[in-house]
Amino acid sequence: AQLDTLDIVVLVVLLIGTVAYFTKGTYWAVQQDPYSSSLAHANGAKAGKSRNILEKMEETGKNAVVFYGSQTGTAEDYASRLAKEGQSRFGLKTMVADLEDYEYENLDEFPDDKVAFFVLATYGEGEPTDNAVEFYEFIHGDDVSFSSGKAADEKPLSTMKFVAFGLGNNTYEHYNSMVRNVTASLEKLGALKIGDAGEGDDGAGTMEEDFLAWKEPMWTALSEAMGLEEREAVYEPVFEITEEEDMSAQSDEVFLGEPNKNHLEGASKGPYNAHNPFIAPIAESKEIFHVKDRNCLHMEIDISGSNLSYTTGDHIAVWPTNPGKEVDRFLRVTGIDSKRDKVIAVKGLDPTAKVPFPSPTTYEAVVRYHMEICAPVSRQFIATLAPFSPNDSIKEEMTKMGSDKDYFQQKVSNLSVNISQLLEILSNGEAWSKIPFSLFIEGLHKIQPRYYSISSSSMVQKDKISITAVVESVEKPGAPHIVKGVTTNYLLALKQKQHGDPEPDPYGMNYALNGPRNKYDGVHVPVHVRHSNFKLPSDPSKPVIMVGPGTGVAPFRGFIQERAAQAKAGQDVGKTILFFGCRKKAEDFIYEQEWEQYKQDLGDKFEMHVAFSRDGPQKVYVQHKLKESAAEIDKLLQQKAYFYVCGDAANMAREVNTLLAQVIAEQRGVPESKGEEIVKSMRASNQYQEDVW
Ligand code: FAD
């Protein structure tokens, strides 16, 4: 029977609906891809994105996939490095895969002549990174089920070989729990682990060295398991860079730093998220330290009309721009200064290679807006750059730095230099013009938004987000440059601009404050909001105890602002205790007057304990103040008070945890181990919450 037109229309509509349902919107999402660009679409690089990893590997001729679960980009970077090394040293056909981009129900059909790598960061309290949540729930869940229907106890993954590396921080209780749990789950399901699962420790500052030390024995084990042979590593670029002679930087289709197509094509549109920032006006900005050589910024970011929303305790992400001074240095030392405005099209030479920024663009835009050029230098990157040195003696020096850990420490890490500062020193200013630009895209991180704990209450000011940020500036004796934090100095420059400062750029940093094509003109900054679990109790009559020295007080300003407003509105607000610490009352006691106001609003419900570490003969910290209030703290905890810690993860947060266990033990007359157990169970039930960095 013939189908008439109506039938066809109905069938097509049904088909579209079905495809949309089964692909969970994947094909649709391509439209919103942050890096989607006219060229990428034209050459088909983004077309037909499949969520079937086995199919993808088959189609592209891969025998190794490196999955990553990454929050800040480090795990993603390690994944790329492993993929590249596997290919260049061992001839593996590798691809990198974002865990979020694939489904896992068919991993039980993973061929036994292939291998899967998992590079997994642990986030916060032993949690998966945002992009790994689904995978983690699938593989670590109780009722894992594969499309073939094989049950967990039938060892459905018995044909799968895997390699694993975790990125964690030993100052957290659930150190590297992602890689540990995923490894255990994969093995339980029958997968064969190759080599040891590596663990990198950010807490000890040894992440990079842990990674380098882990990967050599891993490669040996993998070579044996797969019969690979090591060959002389030859550099193969991942990206093809084409200089577009007939396009100019003024052409409408050229990205000059716009984060995506939406921003390029005019007024940006929501929804605003981690792939699409809102260019927000800074409504207000001020300095809140009273001291010459250190800065702390308070800013009010206006999100009205953006459809962005936040709740008290969330984080705001600020998208930074590199300082002009370092952009210029980079372009100069790499020998591309004279063509900084040249239009380039960047394309992955392999269909699985993702270009980490939109194209066509210019060299300058890539360096200013997309690459983390100011960060510490990695030893492996130095080894990769060595063959492209300007002359043999520099090459020798680079090779030594790349292979000798201690020498690298002495010659590079101790100087706290970034990549172009280092290259400049090594070559005495001579340009390193042999380095392929692709190598920088591969070897340097994609610039990352920085998070700030929102320091306002969404109940009090739903359209204005407050930020409290200390400006990073580290002067190391013997180091050739002062290390200036990228984002905080960018914010400082914006503040100076807003105040019409006669000297808007005190360090000659020269940020491009107006943004690409003057789109950030006025005083604007690109942002998005990240929701967090750091929350006040829904019942305001519950007591809260907050520990937040330095900028750790940021979210608590929001908490207290909220409770003061509730009290003023006649609500029953419970005891609200804040432990704050800083160096000197006259210098960095931030929001001093505001706390007085909250005391008036909250009356005896608000209590503040302040520790000044440099005001008296003895150094006093929040920990001391907590001890002094032991009896009251324990009494409130027995009344189910919520306990919050915010700020320094490395020392303070850990010490407060230990101290609280001691306080509980002493006050209740139980052994310290019991005190620790109580704190643990408080954490499990969200009665103890941390927002630390
Ligand atoms: P970066 O450029 O990222 O540099 C950071 C540090 O790295 C520098 O201080 C320096 O010591 C070191 N460094 C940089 N380059 C080099 C080099 N070449 N060699 C050696 N060392 C180097 N901060 C706040 O002030 N307030 C908050 O409320 C706040 N909340 C946060 C909440 C969360 C969830 C997280 C994760 C972080 C939070 N932070 C907060 C920290 C904030 O995100 C930034 O990390 C901080 O502001 C520094 O950013 P930056 O871009 O200025 O510095």
Side-chain angles (χ1 to χ4, degrees):
Q2 295 234 322
L3 295 171
D4 67 29
T5 322
L6 184 65
D7 284 337
I8 292 172
V9 170
V10 170
L11 279 175
V12 167
V13 169
L14 278 176
L15 182 69
I16 291 174
T18 315
V19 170
Y21 178 78
F22 283 109
T23 59
K24 297 185 185 159
T26 312
Y27 292 95
W28 279 233
V30 170
Q31 304 293 320
Q32 289 171 20
D33 190 292
Y35 307 131
S36 70
S37 66
S38 44
L39 275 194
H41 276 295
N43 66 30
K46 292 280 174 190
K49 224 170 152 188
S50 159
R51 288 181 62 82
N52 182 335
I53 186 64
L54 300 185
E55 211 172 87
K56 180 91 180 187
M57 289 175 78
E58 196 60 45
E59 267 170 30
T60 52
K62 306 297 183 193
N63 60 358
V65 55
V66 189
F67 287 111
Y68 63 85
S70 188
Q71 195 71 27
T72 61
T74 314
E76 181 178 354
D77 174 52
Y78 285 7
S80 308
R81 284 160 61 180
L82 284 173
K84 231 180 128 42
E85 199 174 337
Q87 188 138 343
S88 61
R89 277 177 67 189
F90 300 96
L92 277 171
K93 299 274 176 267
T94 56
M95 66 173 285
V96 175
D98 184 338
L99 275 170
E100 188 172 68
D101 289 347
Y102 295 94
E103 270 149 18
Y104 332 101
E105 284 81 0
N106 64 351
L107 284 185
D108 58 339
E109 290 162 33
F110 200 89
D112 62 2
D113 58 346
K114 301 191 178 185
V115 60
F117 291 64
F118 292 90
V119 182
L120 302 169
T122 298
Y123 194 60
E125 300 277 323
E127 290 147 37
T129 56
D130 291 350
N131 75 324
V133 171
E134 267 186 48
F135 167 71
Y136 186 63
E137 284 172 358
F138 174 81
I139 207 80
H140 197 59
D142 295 332
D143 48 358
V144 52
S145 74
F146 293 95
S147 34
S148 68
K150 262 194 201 163
D153 53 5
E154 291 173 72
K155 306 275 178 209
L157 298 186
S158 56
T159 56
M160 183 178 185
K161 289 188 195 63
F162 77 100
V163 166
F165 183 79
L167 296 86
N169 184 319
N170 77 18
T171 60
Y172 287 83
E173 193 185 334
H174 303 276
Y175 176 55
N176 259 314
S177 60
M178 266 301 280
V179 75
R180 291 181 184 179
N181 293 346
V182 168
T183 301
S185 297
L186 290 170
E187 287 191 301
K188 203 170 120 200
L189 295 166
L192 177 66
K193 183 177 71 187
I194 307 293
D196 289 330
E199 294 185 355
D201 184 4
D202 203 26
T206 54
M207 184 70 81
E208 175 77 10
E209 290 303 335
D210 295 338
F211 175 68
L212 297 182
W214 161 80
K215 73 184 174 54
E216 286 315 313
M218 179 279 291
W219 287 126
T220 310
L222 186 66
S223 302
E224 216 161 278
M226 292 184 74
L228 305 173
E229 277 198 39
E230 181 160 7
R231 55 185 191 181
E232 177 82 30
V234 271
Y235 173 68
E236 290 167 35
V238 173
F239 303 104
E240 178 184 67
I241 289 104
T242 316
E243 294 181 356
E244 302 279 352
E245 301 301 341
D246 51 353
M247 267 194 211
S248 97
Q250 275 71 46
S251 310
D252 288 347
E253 65 269 48
V254 177
F255 289 86
L256 297 182
E258 289 88 349
N260 58 34
K261 206 163 180 207
N262 176 8
H263 281 264
L264 181 70
E265 285 173 348
S268 77
K269 290 189 291 280
Y272 298 108
N273 51 38
H275 301 302
N276 186 32
F278 172 58
I279 310 300
I282 297 176
E284 221 183 285
S285 56
K286 62 181 181 205
E287 172 63 50
I288 54 175
F289 277 174
H290 306 281
V291 56
K292 269 222 135 51
D293 57 343
R294 292 196 299 146
N295 299 91
C296 186
L297 300 168
H298 174 88
M299 288 190 152
E300 299 282 340
I301 312 287
D302 190 347
I303 54 164
S304 50
S306 68
N307 240 340
L308 277 174
S309 66
Y310 78 103
T311 50
T312 312
D314 283 346
H315 301 134
I316 181 167
V318 173
W319 292 47
T321 294
N322 283 315
K325 189 177 178 178
E326 294 306 323
V327 172
D328 293 346
R329 190 195 309 277
F330 186 96
L331 293 168
R332 198 170 56 235
V333 78
T334 54
I336 47 183
D337 198 19
S338 61
K339 51 179 188 179
R340 55 160 66 205
D341 292 324
K342 204 159 226 160
V343 176
I344 50 172
V346 182
K347 201 178 105 183
L349 281 165
D350 181 295
T352 63
K354 239 185 182 174
V355 182
F357 46 78
S359 153
T361 179
T362 64
Y363 286 109
E364 177 178 335
V366 175
V367 176
R368 191 183 293 278
Y369 292 101
H370 302 297
M371 295 197 304
E372 200 81 81
I373 58 166
C374 294
V377 180
S378 101
R379 184 156 70 85
Q380 192 179 10
F381 190 48
I382 292 303
T384 322
L385 290 182
F388 304 99
S389 301
N391 61 47
D392 283 348
S393 70
I394 300 178
K395 182 173 168 181
E396 205 176 303
E397 176 74 353
M398 290 283 282
T399 309
K400 183 162 181 208
M401 286 174 172
S403 56
D404 181 336
K405 182 175 154 186
D406 298 327
Y407 193 63
F408 179 81
Q409 176 73 32
Q410 179 199 339
K411 291 284 185 165
V412 184
S413 304
N414 287 352
L415 299 188
S416 297
V417 280
N418 63 38
I419 185 65
S420 37
Q421 290 168 346
L422 178 68
L423 298 184
E424 193 174 54
I425 293 170
L426 287 172
S427 73
N428 231 329
E430 190 189 331
W432 292 58
S433 13
K434 291 183 219 157
I435 306 175
F437 196 65
S438 174
L439 192 40
F440 289 117
I441 307 176
E442 297 155 33
L444 297 177
H445 284 202
K446 177 165 80 189
I447 211 162
Q448 293 296 322
R450 311 303 204 260
Y451 291 109
Y452 295 90
S453 302
I454 294 177
S455 59
S456 52
S457 153
S458 56
M459 195 182 273
V460 175
Q461 45 177 81
K462 80 174 179 30
D463 287 333
K464 270 196 200 139
I465 288 181
S466 303
I467 291 185
T468 309
V470 78
V471 179
E472 291 286 335
S473 177
V474 181
E475 207 168 344
K476 216 167 164 183
H481 301 274
I482 304 178
V483 180
K484 293 281 177 192
V486 174
T487 318
T488 48
N489 284 281
Y490 168 48
L491 292 175
L492 176 63
L494 283 164
K495 181 226 134 197
Q496 318 249 67
K497 179 181 180 192
Q498 182 159 53
H499 290 260
D501 212 300
E503 211 188 327
D505 222 358
Y507 310 109
M509 305 277 283
N510 199 16
Y511 282 94
L513 298 180
N514 290 343
R517 293 188 169 87
N518 288 325
K519 283 175 181 166
Y520 309 171
D521 200 6
V523 188
H524 285 81
V525 62
V527 299
H528 72 267
V529 172
R530 181 173 196 273
H531 298 290
S532 90
N533 297 322
F534 194 71
K535 293 287 169 256
L536 276 168
S538 50
D539 173 3
S541 70
K542 285 246 170 73
V544 297
I545 302 166
M546 299 164 281
V547 185
T551 44
V553 81
F556 303 136
R557 177 180 178 268
F559 281 17
I560 296 167
Q561 200 180 49
E562 184 148 323
R563 285 167 79 96
Q566 287 167 328
K568 272 169 84 175
Q571 277 181 275
D572 175 18
V573 174
K575 196 92 188 176
T576 305
I577 305 187
L578 174 64
F579 290 88
F580 174 74
C582 64
R583 290 186 190 170
K584 292 181 171 199
K585 186 174 191 315
E587 291 186 356
D588 53 359
F589 186 8
I590 54 180
Y591 303 119
E592 190 177 357
Q593 271 90 48
E594 276 188 41
W595 306 125
E596 290 305 319
Q597 181 59 48
Y598 298 138
K599 270 182 203 158
Q600 297 199 356
D601 299 341
L602 282 159
D604 63 358
K605 297 289 186 190
F606 181 42
E607 210 176 278
M608 185 162 177
H609 302 268
V610 190
F612 299 109
S613 63
R614 301 195 186 170
D615 261 348
Q618 237 100 45
K619 289 196 174 213
V620 185
Y621 294 111
V622 282
Q623 290 88 323
H624 298 110
K625 294 282 163 187
L626 281 166
K627 252 193 209 153
E628 285 170 20
S629 307
E632 188 186 12
I633 291 174
D634 185 54
K635 193 182 97 200
L636 290 172
L637 289 181
Q638 310 247 27
Q639 296 166 15
K640 293 274 166 276
Y642 277 48
F643 193 93
Y644 301 90
V645 186
C646 178
D648 170 38
N651 303 304
M652 184 276 299
R654 188 177 236 203
E655 282 172 32
V656 168
N657 184 111
T658 311
L659 189 68
L660 189 68
Q662 286 165 0
V663 163
I664 292 173
E666 269 169 36
Q667 294 294 317
R668 302 186 194 176
V670 296
E672 220 170 274
S673 57
K674 178 72 185 158
E676 279 162 20
E677 244 172 65
I678 295 173
V679 174
K680 238 184 206 167
S681 68
M682 282 171 63
R683 279 179 183 269
S685 65
N686 272 339
Q687 200 193 339
Y688 187 116
Q689 299 182 23
E690 270 183 352
D691 180 25
V692 294
W693 60 83

